[in-house]
Amino acid sequence: MKPSKEFIKKGLYLSGIMNIGGVLVFSRFFTNKVINEADPVTMSNFGLLMIVVWGLVFLAIVPKWEHLKWVIGVFVIEKFIYGITWSKWIMSNDLSAVYKADTMAGIYYTIYGLNDWLFCVFYLLVFIYLSKLEKNQTDNH
């Protein structure tokens, strides 16, 4: 299945919005200490800020995404790392304790990794699409 360029653009926008909006809403603009305490390394306020920065990068490439295959490849790696980090966290922590401490933090920890896995697959499909497009252009010249 070949994704439409419009579908890819919407996915890129959604990825950036999810990073920025998800962090700002669930962290209550970096004031939700329960998120920080549940994973002080990955989800410190600095870590949350860097997730927002990644979101800005996702949005920044939208106008030229068709020419940025290797940047998209980096996005696959970034989302994979966060997906793995979340999977390890979810298997070794008590999510219900996070919910008891703060519902917003509990929701954040419930969905952030699923979001990263979803967009890891999305970016991988875009990378494959661009690789095939590049190969077809090379073969035709």
Side-chain angles (χ1 to χ4, degrees):
M1 180 180 116
K2 181 179 143 188
S4 73
K5 291 180 180 182
E6 194 58 34
F7 174 80
I8 292 171
K9 280 179 78 170
K10 286 178 182 175
L12 293 169
Y13 279 124
L14 184 60
S15 178
I17 291 166
M18 291 293 286
N19 266 50
I20 297 164
V23 164
L24 294 179
V25 168
F26 290 103
S27 77
R28 296 183 189 95
F29 288 82
F30 308 103
T31 64
N32 189 336
K33 297 300 176 204
V34 176
I35 288 177
N36 306 137
E37 291 163 2
D39 186 350
V41 174
T42 307
M43 297 303 165
S44 65
N45 278 343
F46 177 78
L48 292 171
L49 179 61
M50 291 301 97
I51 293 169
V52 170
V53 170
W54 274 107
L56 293 170
V57 174
F58 300 149
L59 295 176
I61 68 131
V62 173
K64 300 282 185 183
W65 71 269
E66 293 175 89
H67 307 286
L68 299 170
K69 176 180 93 170
W70 292 108
V71 174
I72 301 284
V74 171
F75 294 170
V76 174
I77 295 166
E78 184 266 349
K79 290 297 184 185
F80 180 79
I81 290 168
Y82 275 96
I84 289 289
T85 300
W86 173 79
S87 296
K88 288 174 141 183
W89 186 92
I90 219 74
M91 288 188 279
S92 60
N93 288 276
D94 181 10
L95 186 58
S96 65
V98 178
Y99 271 99
K100 280 182 188 171
D102 182 82
T103 302
M104 293 289 277
I107 294 169
Y108 180 80
Y109 277 97
T110 299
I111 64 174
Y112 102 75
L114 298 172
N115 179 75
D116 286 318
W117 281 120
L118 171 74
F119 282 105
C120 179
V121 171
F122 169 76
Y123 282 121
L124 179 60
L125 293 174
V126 174
F127 182 82
I128 291 167
Y129 167 78
L130 290 174
S131 296
K132 287 180 180 179
L133 195 65
E134 184 178 82
K135 183 182 177 333
N136 289 343
Q137 290 171 348
T138 303
D139 290 348
N140 291 331
H141 287 94

